[in-house]
Amino acid sequence: MRQFKEQTRKVKEVTSIVCNKCGRVIPVVEGVPQEDVLTVDKRWGYFSEKDNRRDHFDLCESCYDELTRNFKIKMEEE
Ligand SMILES: [Zn+2]
């Protein structure tokens, strides 16, 4: 989840990112998040139950680790 400071009606500046899973706040300083996050921005297609719905969320690194640790098939890493 992105939190914004509205500079003008059309220009918004991201001031922080909140992990949607644990609620931890990650500060953003001059446009740069102070920790890396996983950002998901998904537009569901016709062959889904969510036709054309757009979902957006952010996960902090520890919530990402917790999620991927439970994968039945281990993800590929480079
Ligand atoms: Zn988290």
Side-chain angles (χ1 to χ4, degrees):
M1 175 178 72
R2 307 279 161 135
Q3 294 182 315
F4 297 93
K5 178 174 80 183
E6 198 160 319
Q7 292 177 324
T8 64
R9 278 188 172 272
K10 289 187 178 174
V11 179
K12 289 186 197 170
E13 178 191 338
V14 179
T15 55
S16 60
I17 300 170
V18 181
C19 175
N20 284 80
K21 188 165 187 289
C22 72
R24 203 159 61 78
V25 177
I26 293 139
V28 176
V29 178
E30 293 176 4
V32 181
Q34 299 303 291
E35 289 177 34
D36 206 358
V37 297
L38 171 71
T39 299
V40 174
D41 189 13
K42 170 66 180 167
R43 169 92 63 187
W44 291 95
Y46 182 75
F47 295 104
S48 75
E49 303 285 314
K50 307 168 191 60
D51 189 16
N52 211 27
R53 191 176 88 190
R54 187 174 173 194
D55 291 348
H56 184 98
F57 63 88
D58 296 288
L59 290 182
C60 72
E61 189 173 5
S62 59
C63 288
Y64 170 84
D65 289 342
E66 192 180 313
L67 173 76
T68 57
R69 194 178 309 124
N70 294 323
F71 283 178
K72 186 170 186 176
I73 298 166
K74 207 167 164 26
M75 69 176 173
E76 295 170 37
E77 295 178 11
E78 287 183 30

